[in-house]
Amino acid sequence: AQSVTQLGSHVSVSEGALVLLRCNYSSSVPPYLFWYVQYPNQGLQLLLKYTTGATLVKGINGFEAEFKKSETSFHLTKPSAHMSDAAEYFCAVSLPGIGNQFYFGTGTSLTVIP
Amino acid sequence: NAGVTQTPKFQVLKTGQSMTLQCAQDMNHEYMSWYRQDPGMGLRLIHYSVGAGITDQGEVPNGYNVSRSTTEDFPLRLLSAAPSQTSVYFCASSYAQGAYEQYFGPGTRLTVT
């Protein structure tokens, strides 16, 4: 069965510090990988995704993530946190060739301390 | 483009009442889905559809029905609401399955008393 694990339901960083949000998945085949962000009282919006090709992908708002097949991970990073980054972040996977279901992690709430 | 729209934004039901959450998209997407979001549990898939006339169950389908008579619309029906269905409901759509991102609506916050 497919699963997505996000380590740390709450992460706090100081403004200007590195942001690292962890995501691991379990799958027998490499999945498609996504990070979404949810601001309070809003729907989810895509930050970035990995489908094929370069394993380091860049997204909006300065975020990037690296697909590491050997570690079954897709961690999200940003070099310098901004107050506006405070939100809930969800990692998601989709299995290629299998109709269709997305699986979401349980989310990580990011707090940015001024 | 309005994207994915959901109505209503808020709803309060009494136990046993029925209602339909509306979802529409104007992007000609084939794939649509319904999720519920509960604290600490992320998003759980309720039902999804890969095209008009085709629907399938997700992870938590009990207590919910769906139909897909047009490409644009994908309503979610609660036949007899229960307090356990208190949640925030999101509709999403994508061009197709697999590598394509999903676009989310703004959500419906449902409370069942």
PDB file of all heavy atoms in Angstrom, chain A residues 47-67:
ATOM      1  N   LEU A  47       3.049  23.948  -4.817  1.00  0.00           N
ATOM      2  CA  LEU A  47       4.346  24.592  -4.666  1.00  0.00           C
ATOM      3  C   LEU A  47       5.313  24.119  -5.756  1.00  0.00           C
ATOM      4  O   LEU A  47       6.000  24.914  -6.381  1.00  0.00           O
ATOM      5  CB  LEU A  47       4.964  24.236  -3.316  1.00  0.00           C
ATOM      6  CG  LEU A  47       4.719  25.123  -2.109  1.00  0.00           C
ATOM      7  CD1 LEU A  47       5.465  24.537  -0.915  1.00  0.00           C
ATOM      8  CD2 LEU A  47       5.172  26.544  -2.380  1.00  0.00           C
ATOM      9  N   LEU A  48       5.379  22.804  -5.920  1.00  0.00           N
ATOM     10  CA  LEU A  48       6.274  22.209  -6.901  1.00  0.00           C
ATOM     11  C   LEU A  48       5.917  20.745  -7.072  1.00  0.00           C
ATOM     12  O   LEU A  48       5.159  20.179  -6.281  1.00  0.00           O
ATOM     13  CB  LEU A  48       7.740  22.361  -6.470  1.00  0.00           C
ATOM     14  CG  LEU A  48       8.120  21.942  -5.051  1.00  0.00           C
ATOM     15  CD1 LEU A  48       8.275  20.440  -4.904  1.00  0.00           C
ATOM     16  CD2 LEU A  48       9.410  22.633  -4.612  1.00  0.00           C
ATOM     17  N   LYS A  49       6.488  20.154  -8.138  1.00  0.00           N
ATOM     18  CA  LYS A  49       6.251  18.740  -8.363  1.00  0.00           C
ATOM     19  C   LYS A  49       7.445  18.107  -9.061  1.00  0.00           C
ATOM     20  O   LYS A  49       8.200  18.786  -9.772  1.00  0.00           O
ATOM     21  CB  LYS A  49       4.984  18.522  -9.191  1.00  0.00           C
ATOM     22  CG  LYS A  49       5.088  19.004 -10.626  1.00  0.00           C
ATOM     23  CD  LYS A  49       3.786  18.696 -11.390  1.00  0.00           C
ATOM     24  CE  LYS A  49       3.899  19.129 -12.846  1.00  0.00           C
ATOM     25  NZ  LYS A  49       2.619  18.848 -13.591  1.00  0.00           N
ATOM     26  N   TYR A  50       7.583  16.817  -8.864  1.00  0.00           N
ATOM     27  CA  TYR A  50       8.568  16.022  -9.587  1.00  0.00           C
ATOM     28  C   TYR A  50       7.840  14.941 -10.364  1.00  0.00           C
ATOM     29  O   TYR A  50       7.038  14.184  -9.803  1.00  0.00           O
ATOM     30  CB  TYR A  50       9.566  15.364  -8.625  1.00  0.00           C
ATOM     31  CG  TYR A  50      10.418  14.343  -9.332  1.00  0.00           C
ATOM     32  CD1 TYR A  50      11.513  14.742 -10.099  1.00  0.00           C
ATOM     33  CD2 TYR A  50      10.106  12.990  -9.270  1.00  0.00           C
ATOM     34  CE1 TYR A  50      12.272  13.810 -10.784  1.00  0.00           C
ATOM     35  CE2 TYR A  50      10.868  12.060  -9.961  1.00  0.00           C
ATOM     36  CZ  TYR A  50      11.944  12.479 -10.716  1.00  0.00           C
ATOM     37  OH  TYR A  50      12.690  11.556 -11.404  1.00  0.00           O
ATOM     38  N   THR A  51       8.136  14.889 -11.657  1.00  0.00           N
ATOM     39  CA  THR A  51       7.552  13.811 -12.469  1.00  0.00           C
ATOM     40  C   THR A  51       8.680  12.953 -13.034  1.00  0.00           C
ATOM     41  O   THR A  51       8.811  11.779 -12.712  1.00  0.00           O
ATOM     42  CB  THR A  51       6.666  14.368 -13.580  1.00  0.00           C
ATOM     43  OG1 THR A  51       7.405  15.319 -14.362  1.00  0.00           O
ATOM     44  CG2 THR A  51       5.451  15.067 -12.981  1.00  0.00           C
ATOM     45  N   THR A  52       9.506  13.537 -13.870  1.00  0.00           N
ATOM     46  CA  THR A  52      10.676  12.818 -14.397  1.00  0.00           C
ATOM     47  C   THR A  52      11.809  13.822 -14.589  1.00  0.00           C
ATOM     48  O   THR A  52      11.606  15.021 -14.479  1.00  0.00           O
ATOM     49  CB  THR A  52      10.392  12.153 -15.749  1.00  0.00           C
ATOM     50  OG1 THR A  52      10.027  13.175 -16.688  1.00  0.00           O
ATOM     51  CG2 THR A  52       9.285  11.135 -15.654  1.00  0.00           C
ATOM     52  N   GLY A  53      13.008  13.309 -14.875  1.00  0.00           N
ATOM     53  CA  GLY A  53      14.110  14.213 -15.196  1.00  0.00           C
ATOM     54  C   GLY A  53      14.877  14.663 -13.973  1.00  0.00           C
ATOM     55  O   GLY A  53      15.099  13.878 -13.042  1.00  0.00           O
ATOM     56  N   ALA A  54      15.282  15.902 -13.964  1.00  0.00           N
ATOM     57  CA  ALA A  54      16.119  16.448 -12.901  1.00  0.00           C
ATOM     58  C   ALA A  54      15.469  16.222 -11.546  1.00  0.00           C
ATOM     59  O   ALA A  54      14.287  16.512 -11.350  1.00  0.00           O
ATOM     60  CB  ALA A  54      16.361  17.934 -13.124  1.00  0.00           C
ATOM     61  N   THR A  55      16.265  15.722 -10.620  1.00  0.00           N
ATOM     62  CA  THR A  55      15.703  15.349  -9.322  1.00  0.00           C
ATOM     63  C   THR A  55      15.572  16.528  -8.369  1.00  0.00           C
ATOM     64  O   THR A  55      14.883  16.419  -7.366  1.00  0.00           O
ATOM     65  CB  THR A  55      16.582  14.275  -8.663  1.00  0.00           C
ATOM     66  OG1 THR A  55      17.925  14.764  -8.559  1.00  0.00           O
ATOM     67  CG2 THR A  55      16.567  12.995  -9.489  1.00  0.00           C
ATOM     68  N   LEU A  56      16.237  17.634  -8.675  1.00  0.00           N
ATOM     69  CA  LEU A  56      16.074  18.845  -7.871  1.00  0.00           C
ATOM     70  C   LEU A  56      15.089  19.747  -8.607  1.00  0.00           C
ATOM     71  O   LEU A  56      15.360  20.182  -9.721  1.00  0.00           O
ATOM     72  CB  LEU A  56      17.419  19.550  -7.690  1.00  0.00           C
ATOM     73  CG  LEU A  56      17.375  20.837  -6.850  1.00  0.00           C
ATOM     74  CD1 LEU A  56      16.961  20.531  -5.416  1.00  0.00           C
ATOM     75  CD2 LEU A  56      18.746  21.533  -6.871  1.00  0.00           C
ATOM     76  N   VAL A  57      13.990  20.004  -7.987  1.00  0.00           N
ATOM     77  CA  VAL A  57      12.955  20.805  -8.631  1.00  0.00           C
ATOM     78  C   VAL A  57      12.742  22.088  -7.847  1.00  0.00           C
ATOM     79  O   VAL A  57      12.777  22.102  -6.617  1.00  0.00           O
ATOM     80  CB  VAL A  57      11.621  20.036  -8.768  1.00  0.00           C
ATOM     81  CG1 VAL A  57      11.774  18.891  -9.736  1.00  0.00           C
ATOM     82  CG2 VAL A  57      11.139  19.528  -7.427  1.00  0.00           C
ATOM     83  N   LYS A  58      12.517  23.146  -8.591  1.00  0.00           N
ATOM     84  CA  LYS A  58      12.290  24.453  -7.978  1.00  0.00           C
ATOM     85  C   LYS A  58      10.829  24.827  -8.116  1.00  0.00           C
ATOM     86  O   LYS A  58      10.195  24.527  -9.139  1.00  0.00           O
ATOM     87  CB  LYS A  58      13.182  25.503  -8.635  1.00  0.00           C
ATOM     88  CG  LYS A  58      14.672  25.231  -8.418  1.00  0.00           C
ATOM     89  CD  LYS A  58      15.521  26.359  -8.965  1.00  0.00           C
ATOM     90  CE  LYS A  58      17.006  26.027  -8.856  1.00  0.00           C
ATOM     91  NZ  LYS A  58      17.420  25.825  -7.449  1.00  0.00           N
ATOM     92  N   GLY A  59      10.309  25.466  -7.085  1.00  0.00           N
ATOM     93  CA  GLY A  59       8.913  25.853  -7.104  1.00  0.00           C
ATOM     94  C   GLY A  59       8.734  27.338  -6.880  1.00  0.00           C
ATOM     95  O   GLY A  59       9.662  28.124  -7.031  1.00  0.00           O
ATOM     96  N   ILE A  60       7.539  27.678  -6.479  1.00  0.00           N
ATOM     97  CA  ILE A  60       7.234  29.083  -6.252  1.00  0.00           C
ATOM     98  C   ILE A  60       7.754  29.531  -4.888  1.00  0.00           C
ATOM     99  O   ILE A  60       8.027  28.712  -4.013  1.00  0.00           O
ATOM    100  CB  ILE A  60       5.714  29.337  -6.355  1.00  0.00           C
ATOM    101  CG1 ILE A  60       4.960  28.539  -5.279  1.00  0.00           C
ATOM    102  CG2 ILE A  60       5.213  28.996  -7.742  1.00  0.00           C
ATOM    103  CD1 ILE A  60       3.493  28.879  -5.186  1.00  0.00           C
ATOM    104  N   ASN A  61       7.888  30.832  -4.734  1.00  0.00           N
ATOM    105  CA  ASN A  61       8.253  31.443  -3.447  1.00  0.00           C
ATOM    106  C   ASN A  61       9.602  30.974  -2.907  1.00  0.00           C
ATOM    107  O   ASN A  61       9.823  31.007  -1.697  1.00  0.00           O
ATOM    108  CB  ASN A  61       7.166  31.181  -2.388  1.00  0.00           C
ATOM    109  CG  ASN A  61       5.806  31.725  -2.816  1.00  0.00           C
ATOM    110  OD1 ASN A  61       5.732  32.621  -3.643  1.00  0.00           O
ATOM    111  ND2 ASN A  61       4.755  31.174  -2.259  1.00  0.00           N
ATOM    112  N   GLY A  62      10.506  30.569  -3.781  1.00  0.00           N
ATOM    113  CA  GLY A  62      11.855  30.200  -3.368  1.00  0.00           C
ATOM    114  C   GLY A  62      12.013  28.803  -2.812  1.00  0.00           C
ATOM    115  O   GLY A  62      13.084  28.435  -2.329  1.00  0.00           O
ATOM    116  N   PHE A  63      10.987  27.995  -2.852  1.00  0.00           N
ATOM    117  CA  PHE A  63      11.069  26.622  -2.349  1.00  0.00           C
ATOM    118  C   PHE A  63      11.652  25.689  -3.413  1.00  0.00           C
ATOM    119  O   PHE A  63      11.495  25.923  -4.613  1.00  0.00           O
ATOM    120  CB  PHE A  63       9.676  26.116  -1.950  1.00  0.00           C
ATOM    121  CG  PHE A  63       9.196  26.660  -0.644  1.00  0.00           C
ATOM    122  CD1 PHE A  63       8.408  27.807  -0.609  1.00  0.00           C
ATOM    123  CD2 PHE A  63       9.526  26.034   0.547  1.00  0.00           C
ATOM    124  CE1 PHE A  63       7.964  28.321   0.591  1.00  0.00           C
ATOM    125  CE2 PHE A  63       9.080  26.539   1.760  1.00  0.00           C
ATOM    126  CZ  PHE A  63       8.291  27.683   1.779  1.00  0.00           C
ATOM    127  N   GLU A  64      12.317  24.650  -2.931  1.00  0.00           N
ATOM    128  CA  GLU A  64      12.783  23.597  -3.807  1.00  0.00           C
ATOM    129  C   GLU A  64      12.732  22.265  -3.065  1.00  0.00           C
ATOM    130  O   GLU A  64      12.631  22.231  -1.830  1.00  0.00           O
ATOM    131  CB  GLU A  64      14.184  23.871  -4.339  1.00  0.00           C
ATOM    132  CG  GLU A  64      15.260  23.992  -3.294  1.00  0.00           C
ATOM    133  CD  GLU A  64      16.604  24.341  -3.922  1.00  0.00           C
ATOM    134  OE1 GLU A  64      16.653  25.126  -4.891  1.00  0.00           O
ATOM    135  OE2 GLU A  64      17.624  23.813  -3.431  1.00  0.00           O
ATOM    136  N   ALA A  65      12.778  21.189  -3.827  1.00  0.00           N
ATOM    137  CA  ALA A  65      12.751  19.856  -3.235  1.00  0.00           C
ATOM    138  C   ALA A  65      13.596  18.927  -4.084  1.00  0.00           C
ATOM    139  O   ALA A  65      13.728  19.125  -5.297  1.00  0.00           O
ATOM    140  CB  ALA A  65      11.324  19.335  -3.145  1.00  0.00           C
ATOM    141  N   GLU A  66      14.153  17.922  -3.454  1.00  0.00           N
ATOM    142  CA  GLU A  66      14.990  16.963  -4.161  1.00  0.00           C
ATOM    143  C   GLU A  66      14.442  15.557  -3.993  1.00  0.00           C
ATOM    144  O   GLU A  66      14.192  15.098  -2.873  1.00  0.00           O
ATOM    145  CB  GLU A  66      16.423  17.010  -3.655  1.00  0.00           C
ATOM    146  CG  GLU A  66      17.369  16.121  -4.456  1.00  0.00           C
ATOM    147  CD  GLU A  66      18.818  16.314  -4.102  1.00  0.00           C
ATOM    148  OE1 GLU A  66      19.104  16.967  -3.074  1.00  0.00           O
ATOM    149  OE2 GLU A  66      19.676  15.805  -4.851  1.00  0.00           O
ATOM    150  N   PHE A  67      14.247  14.891  -5.116  1.00  0.00           N
ATOM    151  CA  PHE A  67      13.806  13.509  -5.114  1.00  0.00           C
ATOM    152  C   PHE A  67      15.029  12.621  -4.940  1.00  0.00           C
ATOM    153  O   PHE A  67      15.964  12.667  -5.739  1.00  0.00           O
ATOM    154  CB  PHE A  67      13.101  13.180  -6.430  1.00  0.00           C
ATOM    155  CG  PHE A  67      12.841  11.721  -6.654  1.00  0.00           C
ATOM    156  CD1 PHE A  67      12.167  10.963  -5.712  1.00  0.00           C
ATOM    157  CD2 PHE A  67      13.268  11.103  -7.825  1.00  0.00           C
ATOM    158  CE1 PHE A  67      11.917   9.621  -5.927  1.00  0.00           C
ATOM    159  CE2 PHE A  67      13.022   9.759  -8.053  1.00  0.00           C
ATOM    160  CZ  PHE A  67      12.353   9.019  -7.102  1.00  0.00           C
TER     161      PHE A  67
END
